[in-house]
Structure formats: C-alpha cells, structure tokens
Amino acid sequence: MEENTSKINLIYEQFVLNIQSVQLFFKKFSILALEEDKSILISKKEYLEKALKKTFGQKAFEEMMTKIDEVAEIEEIEVNTTTVIEEENISKTNSSEYNKSNYYDLMIQMENAPKLQTKNYEILANSTFLILNNYFEFLFADLLTFHFTNNRNLIGEKNINISLNDLKNYSTIEEAYDDFLFKEVEKLLLEMTFEEIKNYFKKLDVSLSEDFIKWDNINEIRERRHLLVHNNSIVNKKYIAKSNNPYNLNIGDIAKIDEDYLNKSIVEIQVAGILLIMNCWGKWGKKHATDAIMELLTLTFDLLKQKRNRTASRICEYVEKNIKPSNDDEENCIIRIKFNYCISLKRIDEKKILEKKLEELRVGSMSPIFEIAKHILSDEYKIAISLFKNSITVDEFIIDDYLEWPIFEEIRNDKDLNDEALEQFREVKLLN
C-alpha cells in the first residue's frame, strides 16, 4: 500500500488547483460578462428610442420621456410590442402625431429588433457553479479510486464477465484492472445517494470532520445544483424537503446563483474537500503526514495573502484540534499554523478567542521571529520592530519575508512604522 500512498498529495494538489481555477475564471470573466450585458442594455435602449422617434416623431417621443422618472426604467423594457406599449403607455398618448398606422409601424420595428438577452453574467455564474460541483464530485471519485488501487483485494475478489473481444482492447492485465476499477467507482457513485457516499467513507474509518465541515450547506449547494440542471432553477417540493430550505424560498421561486452565494459555495466546498483529503491522507498515508501538514501550512499562508481570512481560520482551527506533531518538522509547521490562526482571528475581529490563543503561545524558547509575531498580534508594533535586527541575524529574516508575509501587513500599511522597519534592514546590511 505504501508504494502508492504518496500519490494522495496529487489528489490534494489537483483539487486545490481546481478551486483556484474556479475563482480565477469567475473573477476574470465576470467583469467581461457585466460589460457585455451593459452594452446590450444600451443597444436595446438606443434601438427603442430610435423606433419611437421614427414612428411618432420627436415631439411625441419627448412627451413619452417626461413620464419616465429614471433612465433605468427604459433599460428594463423588454424588446417586444406588448411591453413597449404597456410600459410607455403609447396607446394612451395625447400626441396629435399618433395614429393607427403609427402603431402598426412600431409593431413591425419591434419584431425586427435585435434578439439580445442580458444574461451573460447569469450564464457565467451558473456555469461556474456547475464546474465547482463537478470538481467536488471528481474528488470523491479520485479518493475512492485511490482507496481501491491501494486495496486491490476489494475489487480482485469480484467475478468479472468479459468477452474475448473486449479483452483484446487491453495491453496488460494491469490495464484491464484499472479500467474495471474506474467503472466500479463510477457505478458506486451513480448508485449511491450523497448521504450513502458519506457513510461509505465512515465505513472506511475516514472522519467527515462534522465539527468543521458544514455538511448542511454542502447538501443545499448540491440540491441547488440539481434545480439548475433539472428544473431551470425553479424551486420545487423536492428542493425544499431535501435542503431544509435555509434561504426560505417558496415553490416557484428562482434559486439564483449570485456572486455572494457563489463565493460562499466555493468556500464551503473548498474547506470540505481539503479536510476530507487530509482525513484520508491521515488514515491511508500516515508515513507521509509531515508532507500533509506542510501543505496545510502553505495553504493557510496563501489564504491569508488572498485576504480569505475566515477560510484560513477554519483550516487552522482544524489543524489545532486534530493534528498532533510527531517530529520537529511537524511541530515547527504547526506552530506557524497557530500564528496564522491568530492572524486570521485578528482580521475577523475575534478578540476574545485571539487573546486566549496568544496566552497559549509561549514564545520565550522560540525563534525571535515568533516573538516578533506575538508582539504584532498584540498591537505592540514598536517592540516588534526593535527585534528585527536579532531575527535578521538568528532567523535569516530577509526583506522579502517582510514584504510578503501577512503578519507584517499592518506595519507595512503604516508609513512611519514601515520606514522604521525598513531602516532595520538597512542598518544590518551596513553593519555587515
């Protein structure tokens, strides 16, 4: 089993990359989608104005415009005859230029209007949401495939019926085995409900970290995905029953995927996926536990740099409560994760929890860099800066660390403190 155990880190790396790609994809293209929707609205408005002017004349058009309080109202008008007549009250205008032939002329022009829909942003958000859900499903498939690959006897005992023609498609027995394994995993996932899949992991003695993963939120995300795919996002009885309806939607409502909901979904699936991988890693690859802890340290560091403080806090809390170091490398990583936890707590204004965590951190026997960190977390910036020179010498603390590490952000953002900190590096360089 140990021969392939290290490959679980590839599952982790791929999942993290997948989540990052979802975030970058939406961030980049949402701007373009909004601009395109805005452009379409402007085009529709311009076409409507042109049609009204051509049909009724400039004077009648200006009379119509006085009845509109805001320009936004005309942008909301759908390009069809019924809506135009209703919204603009054209049929009731007192303009002497209006007559029956004008009305029919307008109908023809509206029929020929560009059939453009301002739904690019909505389509993008929905697509991103579906991709996110797919990546989560891929993760379950990857973990189960990994498990069966490293426990071949679970599949090997099954009776397999295969024709000679099918057998000819494989170059080796290993290739045939892998193909059969993938089909078994696929079958397993198709036949099981989500709850059954979760229970299957429990049977494998893999923790679901129910104190840290908000499985109710994950369940609602999955049910909303079903609505989007199978019911055009229209809320039905099945959604309300299976999701417990946390958003108090009514039957017939549209379960929209707006930016806020999408970002919350990304966080929930990212946390759930990472912690599930780590629980599998700890169960199936204990000899590689140090690598897993190092990955978590890097992750929390990156999350803080991205200002994703609540997500960082949840990952750090998981480490603190679930992972005990078994060697010096792991202990060093966990200490740094504890400091990352404190940074996240400070940023989300959890003062009481932060005070408690700072009391637990005994930095007397630690490297100077940790003492600096504790003073910063306690808002003792001047004291922290006074310790820079010692840390530069002892910890090989360099200016790139200062400019990059999240712990120094508050000092960097204060001009006077930043100048004082940079002077410490200059003085050490001159002394050397």
Side-chain angles (χ1 to χ4, degrees):
M1 180 174 175
E2 286 301 324
E3 179 182 353
N4 294 314
T5 302
S6 62
K7 290 182 180 178
I8 198 166
N9 75 303
L10 300 179
I11 297 176
Y12 169 82
E13 290 171 5
Q14 187 60 58
F15 180 75
V16 171
L17 286 173
N18 286 344
I19 297 298
Q20 289 175 349
S21 71
V22 168
Q23 293 169 314
L24 291 172
F25 174 77
F26 185 74
K27 182 178 180 181
K28 180 175 181 178
F29 290 102
S30 61
I31 298 172
L32 298 175
L34 285 170
E35 289 178 350
E36 183 63 22
D37 284 346
K38 183 179 179 181
S39 175
I40 291 172
L41 284 172
I42 292 172
S43 296
K44 290 167 71 174
K45 176 188 173 184
E46 290 175 347
Y47 185 91
L48 176 59
E49 289 181 353
K50 184 178 178 180
L52 291 171
K53 288 177 183 178
K54 182 178 178 181
T55 305
F56 301 107
Q58 182 68 33
K59 183 180 177 181
F61 172 76
E62 290 175 359
E63 289 177 1
M64 295 173 196
M65 293 302 102
T66 60
K67 297 178 182 178
I68 300 175
D69 296 324
E70 296 180 0
V71 176
E73 291 182 28
I74 197 170
E75 292 179 345
E76 293 172 359
I77 297 173
E78 295 183 12
V79 186
N80 62 65
T81 305
T82 304
T83 307
V84 170
I85 301 302
E86 181 182 341
E87 295 289 339
E88 300 300 340
N89 203 17
I90 292 172
S91 63
K92 296 180 182 179
T93 181
N94 294 322
S95 171
S96 59
E97 298 182 41
Y98 172 76
N99 57 47
K100 209 166 190 179
S101 63
N102 292 140
Y103 170 73
Y104 288 120
D105 183 43
L106 180 62
M107 284 181 60
I108 293 170
Q109 291 187 69
M110 290 300 99
E111 285 297 321
N112 294 327
K115 307 301 181 185
L116 299 174
Q117 298 295 322
T118 55
K119 290 190 174 183
N120 292 289
Y121 186 85
E122 178 185 337
I123 292 170
L124 177 69
N126 289 347
S127 300
T128 306
F129 183 66
L130 291 178
I131 293 170
L132 177 68
N133 274 271
N134 287 343
Y135 283 151
F136 195 49
E137 291 179 5
F138 295 164
L139 175 61
F140 282 94
D142 288 343
L143 289 173
L144 288 176
T145 300
F146 173 83
H147 171 67
F148 286 127
T149 300
N150 288 277
N151 294 274
R152 291 176 175 265
N153 59 301
L154 297 176
I155 298 291
E157 295 175 355
K158 287 182 172 285
N159 294 320
I160 305 172
N161 294 319
I162 186 169
S163 69
L164 289 175
N165 285 333
D166 288 339
L167 192 59
K168 290 176 183 178
N169 294 325
Y170 303 111
S171 301
T172 63
I173 294 296
E174 287 295 317
E175 186 179 336
Y177 174 84
D178 289 341
D179 188 48
F180 178 73
L181 185 149
F182 296 145
K183 289 178 180 177
E184 281 296 301
V185 170
E186 184 179 41
K187 181 181 176 183
L188 197 66
L189 293 174
L190 286 173
E191 290 179 350
M192 287 184 174
T193 65
F194 187 55
E195 282 301 313
E196 288 172 338
I197 292 171
K198 286 164 57 183
N199 289 332
Y200 191 84
F201 276 87
K202 283 184 177 181
K203 290 177 182 178
L204 299 176
D205 202 22
V206 173
S207 171
L208 296 180
S209 293
E210 291 167 315
D211 291 339
F212 301 96
I213 299 175
K214 299 176 182 178
W215 287 110
D216 287 343
N217 292 355
I218 297 291
N219 185 57
E220 192 280 332
I221 290 168
R222 289 178 56 81
E223 290 303 320
R224 191 172 297 216
R225 180 258 179 199
H226 294 330
L227 279 184
L228 175 59
V229 174
H230 302 294
N231 207 43
N232 203 26
S233 293
I234 300 172
V235 174
N236 54 24
K237 290 182 180 179
K238 182 180 178 183
Y239 166 84
I240 291 176
K242 288 197 169 185
S243 71
N244 293 323
N245 198 19
Y247 294 91
N248 297 317
L249 298 174
N250 296 314
I251 294 175
D253 287 348
I254 301 297
K256 294 182 178 179
I257 312 297
D258 58 25
E259 183 176 4
D260 181 63
Y261 180 82
L262 179 60
N263 287 332
K264 288 179 179 177
S265 299
I266 291 173
V267 169
E268 294 304 333
I269 285 182
Q270 180 182 30
V271 170
I274 288 171
L275 299 192
L276 185 61
I277 294 169
M278 288 300 160
N279 290 339
C280 290
W281 200 330
K283 185 66 182 177
W284 301 333
K286 293 181 180 179
K287 290 187 178 181
H288 300 269
T290 302
D291 293 337
I293 296 171
M294 287 181 175
E295 292 284 5
L296 288 170
L297 172 60
T298 301
L299 174 66
T300 56
F301 180 85
D302 289 341
L303 289 171
L304 290 173
K305 286 180 66 177
Q306 298 164 18
K307 305 292 173 82
R308 299 180 59 206
N309 303 308
R310 292 191 180 278
T311 307
S313 176
R314 288 172 66 180
I315 300 294
C316 291
E317 185 182 7
Y318 163 84
V319 173
E320 182 181 73
K321 293 184 177 180
N322 287 274
I323 301 177
K324 304 300 179 186
S326 59
N327 56 51
D328 290 342
D329 288 336
E330 291 180 9
E331 184 174 10
N332 182 56
C333 285
I334 290 176
I335 289 172
R336 292 176 183 273
I337 291 173
K338 286 181 178 180
F339 275 98
N340 284 347
Y341 188 23
C342 290
I343 295 171
S344 68
L345 290 171
K346 186 175 185 181
R347 287 182 174 180
I348 61 178
D349 203 29
E350 292 283 359
K351 294 179 181 178
K352 290 185 178 180
I353 303 176
L354 174 60
E355 288 175 5
K356 180 181 177 182
K357 297 304 172 186
L358 288 176
E359 287 178 4
E360 295 172 357
L361 289 172
R362 305 286 184 236
V363 297
S365 59
M366 297 181 187
S367 299
I369 193 69
F370 293 116
E371 188 176 356
I372 290 173
K374 188 170 183 179
H375 283 300
I376 291 174
L377 291 165
S378 302
D379 296 331
E380 299 167 349
Y381 303 118
K382 293 282 187 179
I383 299 174
I385 293 172
S386 71
L387 299 172
F388 272 32
K389 290 180 182 178
N390 189 29
S391 183
I392 292 169
T393 303
V394 176
D395 300 315
E396 298 183 351
F397 176 40
I398 61 175
I399 186 117
D400 287 346
D401 297 332
Y402 170 72
L403 295 174
E404 185 178 359
W405 290 358
I407 188 69
F408 300 110
E409 181 178 347
E410 290 170 299
I411 294 177
R412 292 196 302 262
N413 290 339
D414 185 296
K415 185 180 183 305
D416 293 335
L417 291 174
N418 185 53
D419 289 342
E420 190 176 338
L422 294 175
E423 184 61 28
Q424 303 299 305
F425 289 98
R426 283 192 287 269
E427 288 182 10
V428 172
K429 187 174 181 181
L430 289 174
L431 289 173
N432 291 339

